[in-house]
Every structure is written in structure tokens, then in C-alpha cells.
Amino acid sequence: MALLPILRYPDPRLHKVAAPVAVVDDRIRQLVSDMAETMYDAPGVGLAATQVDVHERVIVIDVSEDGDDLRVLINPEILWASEERQVYEEGCLSVPGIYDKVERAAQIRARALDRDGKSYEFEADGLLAVCVQHEIDHLDGKVFVEYLSRLKQDRIRNRLRKQERELSKV
């Protein structure tokens, strides 16, 4: 397993739309293992392949308290989303140190392939529903800050660019 570098907003590669995985093979299973290790190390509760500059539809999620409930979603799709909405304060490994409120569907039903390529469906609410929607957005080339006002987006972009400049001086 290996830790993968995580792209940081506003990197344009975060806006690439991920392609469906044609075959779940050893290469994809290795990607899943590396992504899980990267997510846990960061630490985070979700990671999309887009964030590690792999533009295929692969997500890892673990919203458990103990970090012992890894979910693998390959070619995920939302089959149904409730009309009821919820607001959660979201953060993102690609937008370090930034948190803001985003409104999303309160409940979803989704379908994906697991790490063995078997199709499964599940329902989710709360943090898991938020996380699935957030990570699928990454696969579709969207970062959570794009739900915020243009002013907030500009401030976040400028703050992260400043952090990058300061880090490169060290």
C-alpha cells in the first residue's frame, strides 16, 4: 500500500469528470487500498479517486467512530434522493482547513460495485448521505466550495494560494 498525494483546490484536475471503471481488477483493488490508507492517514471520512489524480469512478468512505467500517463504491450512482434537505458543515481533504455549510438531500438510495466487482444497493442518511453526495460530486468534477457564494469561493481560493506560497518558501 502507498500514501497518495491529494490534489488541493483550486487545482484544475479536480474538475475533470471521472470515467466509469470498466473492470474491477487487481489494479482497481490496489487503488482502493492506497486510497483507504491515504484517507485514514489524512485523516478524513471520504476520498474520491479524482482527489488523488486518478480519473475513474472510485470512492472510499468510512464515517464510523473507530475507523473500522470501510465502504468501497466503484461506479456509484444515486438512485433516489429525498426532497427533504439537510445542512451539514462540510470539509474536504482537497480544501484543507476550510469548513462551511452545504445543503444536500437528507436521505439517498445508491448503487455501486464493491471491491470484488459485485453490485450492491444501500440507503443512507446523516453523515453517510452527505459523504456519498460529496464524493460523487468529486467524480463529477465538482468541489464542495462551488456550492458557496462567489465571494466565499474567491476568499477560499486566495487563502489556499497564499498557504501554498508560504509552504513553498519553507
Side-chain angles (χ1 to χ4, degrees), residues 71 77 79-80 108-114 118-124:
R71 293 172 179 260
E77 57 182 319
L79 304 173
W80 170 84
I108 61 164
R109 183 177 312 112
R111 176 175 38 229
L113 302 177
D114 66 15
K118 293 189 181 110
S119 180
Y120 70 102
E121 291 185 16
F122 64 97
E123 293 186 7

Side-chain angles (χ1 to χ4, degrees), residues 41-145:
D41 182 72
V45 296
L47 186 67
T50 301
Q51 294 176 270
V52 294
D53 202 20
V54 176
H55 302 284
E56 293 180 89
R57 298 188 77 79
V58 178
I59 294 171
V60 293
I61 293 175
D62 188 340
V63 296
S64 69
E65 290 289 320
D66 300 326
D68 61 358
D69 187 24
L70 181 66
R71 293 172 179 260
V72 175
L73 290 77
I74 299 169
N75 295 338
E77 57 182 319
I78 294 175
L79 304 173
W80 170 84
S82 67
E83 289 184 27
E84 180 188 350
R85 312 293 285 175
Q86 67 182 350
V87 175
Y88 255 84
E89 186 165 85
E90 295 186 25
C92 180
L93 296 176
S94 291
V95 193
I98 305 293
Y99 300 89
D100 214 318
K101 292 177 171 59
V102 177
E103 181 180 294
R104 297 187 185 271
Q107 293 133 351
I108 61 164
R109 183 177 312 112
R111 176 175 38 229
L113 302 177
D114 66 15
R115 71 183 314 140
D116 296 317
K118 293 189 181 110
S119 180
Y120 70 102
E121 291 185 16
F122 64 97
E123 293 186 7
D125 58 11
L127 181 58
L128 180 57
V130 169
C131 196
V132 170
Q133 292 171 85
H134 176 113
E135 300 306 334
I136 288 176
D137 275 354
H138 277 300
L139 299 180
D140 294 335
K142 189 169 186 173
V143 180
F144 91 96
V145 296

